Amino acid sequence: MFSTLRKLKLFTPRPLKKSYDVVIIGGGVHGLATAYELAKRGVRNIAVLERFYIGAGSSGRNTAIIRSNYRTSEGVAFYDESVKIYEKLSVELDMNVMFSQRGHLTFAHTDQAITGLRVRAETNQILGVNSRVIFHDEIAKLVPALDLSDLPRYPILAALYHPPGGVIRHDAVVWGYARAANRLGVEIHPYTNVTGISVSNGAVKAVQTTRGEVQTGIITNQTAGWASTIAAMVGLKLPIVSHPLQALVTEPLKPFLDPVLVSATLNCYVSQTDRGELVIGAEIDPYASYSNRSTLPFMEQSASHILELLPSIGGVKVLRQWAGVCDMTPDYSPIMGTVPYMKGFVLDVGWGTYGFKAGPVSGKRIAEMIATGRTPDIIKPFSIERFAKGNLLGEKAAAAVSH
Ligand code: PYC
């Protein structure tokens, strides 16, 4: 992989300077998109600090699903803007990000779940997002391999069909943003671990790293898995608990599965990549941990649950497994914006299991906020102050398989 990265000439390595106008912590899709959008707005002196290689964290450990069929009007509007940016991203970044809008199906296995999907469909439609509830006749045409009989323990009754949803090549997105940001003068510093943040009179002043100290008046925390650690460096305790999320990939099969399939009841989801592999995942592990290790119980459970949907794939071999760390908030919505009493500290964290799909819109809107000093309306509902005010944004019903 490293030789591929060298050939792509993604960015120019540079010495770390003594000061920057903006320091972005986290070299994943959120941090790199923000750097790119800031540079597009004419902000020049920007450093992205990444503790490992770019895209090494959750940007490289997700299952690359893009969709906007959320439950809350705030969430739908936000992710819809992201899908629209993703649709044009290959041209914008001059990098083929392989966004394949093959549709997304969320199954209902009970009457109550159908009611939940109807509510989501209506919220989506009111906001102009293409989603509707469909039944066996249409589901069977979209996925002939599905078991739609009443033999499974939880037969499929209906689905929320979201045609614009799909999958993307996640590393291409990260590499595209890195290269485009670098062309606009952004400095990207991999292998640069943040060890502390200096604060004076309620404002950020400098970042300590394993490569020296840099002065700055603006720091963004755009990390996943490390959000609480970085926030604690300015004395801020985030309402976040970190859990592993595991996934696995099978051997390649001939193309037979077009849409992404999701079942909260069976606790699993599956998509087929352009290479033919099946990408299979489940809910976050039930215990808090920073571990990136895979487990045998996850593989056994996911395989048996997916077989309830697609019995014909019994015997397919699993090639590899992995895990990422997800920062879960109490309402399954992210935390974005400035922090009261800590000038210059910007949050774009708490992305749970839905961070990759939000990278482009977060980058655009966080950059707008930094460049103009005004918080865009679309990110206002996600402020950290919502926890003190009790304005939670319950998004659990639409967070992959989380309910
Ligand atoms: O939110 O679509 C999603 C998702 C799929 C896997 C993890 N999150």
Side-chain angles (χ1 to χ4, degrees):
M1 188 180 69
F2 290 108
S3 62
T4 314
L5 290 183
R6 264 195 294 275
K7 266 190 242 138
L8 280 168
K9 287 204 180 25
L10 291 180
F11 55 90
T12 321
R14 301 198 185 278
L16 197 62
K17 291 195 304 208
K18 293 277 176 238
S19 87
Y20 293 92
D21 292 344
V22 182
V23 170
I24 290 172
I25 305 178
V29 62
H30 284 249
L32 292 165
T34 303
Y36 169 69
E37 294 285 349
L38 277 170
K40 254 176 69 177
R41 286 175 166 270
V43 179
R44 280 289 165 260
N45 196 16
I46 305 166
V48 177
L49 309 182
E50 165 56 48
R51 65 184 284 276
F52 203 12
Y53 56 88
I54 60 162
S58 294
S59 288
R61 294 180 162 271
N62 60 83
T63 45
I65 295 170
I66 309 294
R67 63 185 174 94
S68 58
N69 56 354
Y70 276 75
R71 167 69 183 79
T72 66
S73 51
E74 295 85 350
V76 174
F78 188 75
Y79 290 98
D80 183 41
E81 187 167 309
S82 214
V83 169
K84 289 188 172 130
I85 301 175
Y86 267 130
E87 283 171 344
K88 299 198 174 124
L89 203 60
S90 294
V91 175
E92 169 87 27
L93 301 181
D94 187 22
M95 169 85 78
N96 185 358
V97 297
M98 297 165 79
F99 184 20
S100 169
Q101 291 182 285
R102 49 186 54 208
H104 184 283
L105 287 175
T106 309
F107 295 124
H109 303 259
T110 61
D111 289 344
Q112 194 190 17
I114 298 179
T115 307
L117 295 187
R118 282 196 199 283
V119 173
R120 266 171 79 183
E122 285 187 16
T123 310
N124 289 185
Q125 286 162 19
I126 287 167
L127 292 164
V129 168
N130 187 356
S131 281
R132 65 198 161 86
V133 176
I134 61 172
F135 295 90
H136 278 195
D137 49 344
E138 263 193 272
I139 300 173
K141 282 191 202 130
L142 288 167
V143 194
L146 262 183
D147 185 349
L148 287 172
S149 72
D150 57 6
L151 291 177
R153 191 149 72 116
Y154 297 107
I156 294 170
L157 302 183
L160 180 69
Y161 180 37
H162 176 51
V167 289
I168 202 160
R169 187 64 209 268
H170 51 4
D171 343 80
V173 174
V174 168
W175 299 343
Y177 270 121
R179 191 176 62 172
N182 179 70
R183 281 182 184 142
L184 295 177
V186 171
E187 289 188 16
I188 299 172
H189 293 283
Y191 302 100
T192 307
N193 206 352
V194 171
T195 53
I197 296 177
S198 307
V199 167
S200 162
N201 295 328
V204 301
K205 291 288 171 227
V207 181
Q208 286 83 46
T209 82
T210 43
R211 291 172 60 211
E213 181 176 89
V214 292
Q215 309 291 314
T216 185
I218 301 177
I219 298 172
T220 69
N221 179 359
Q222 299 190 285
T223 58
W226 300 87
S228 307
T229 312
I230 299 293
M233 291 176 185
V234 299
L236 178 65
K237 187 165 170 17
L238 294 175
I240 280 179
V241 183
S242 300
H243 289 249
L245 180 72
Q246 303 193 45
L248 63 84
V249 165
T250 68
E251 62 183 320
L253 307 172
K254 280 191 180 163
F256 76 100
L257 178 61
D258 219 20
V260 180
L261 310 182
V262 179
S263 168
T265 304
L266 294 174
N267 219 320
C268 60
Y269 60 89
V270 57
S271 67
Q272 187 168 26
T273 69
D274 292 333
R275 285 186 299 224
E277 301 151 337
L278 296 178
V279 179
I280 294 173
E283 170 59 306
I284 50 170
D285 288 349
Y287 42 83
S289 166
Y290 289 108
S291 170
N292 271 335
R293 299 192 62 168
S294 311
T295 63
L296 184 59
F298 159 76
M299 184 168 64
E300 288 175 337
Q301 281 161 25
S302 303
S304 66
H305 293 178
I306 286 293
L307 284 176
E308 298 253 332
L309 298 175
L310 301 169
S312 57
I313 64 167
V316 169
K317 293 188 182 58
V318 171
L319 286 193
R320 59 183 184 277
Q321 285 178 255
W322 73 93
V325 178
C326 297
D327 291 334
M328 309 307 298
T329 61
D331 58 0
Y332 281 60
S333 287
I335 308 173
M336 281 183 279
T338 51
V339 177
Y341 316 116
M342 188 49 64
K343 193 162 174 276
F345 194 65
V346 174
L347 292 172
D348 174 22
V349 295
W351 281 104
T353 64
Y354 20 87
F356 197 81
K357 53 182 74 44
V361 63
S362 297
K364 182 174 164 195
R365 296 310 191 161
I366 295 284
E368 178 185 341
M369 189 185 79
I370 293 170
T372 64
R374 287 187 304 275
T375 303
D377 286 346
I378 201 161
I379 67 172
K380 276 186 188 158
F382 302 102
S383 123
I384 192 165
E385 287 160 287
R386 76 176 185 273
F387 297 102
K389 293 181 180 158
N391 295 334
L392 300 198
L393 282 174
E395 199 58 273
K396 195 171 180 185
V401 290
S402 294
H403 64 294

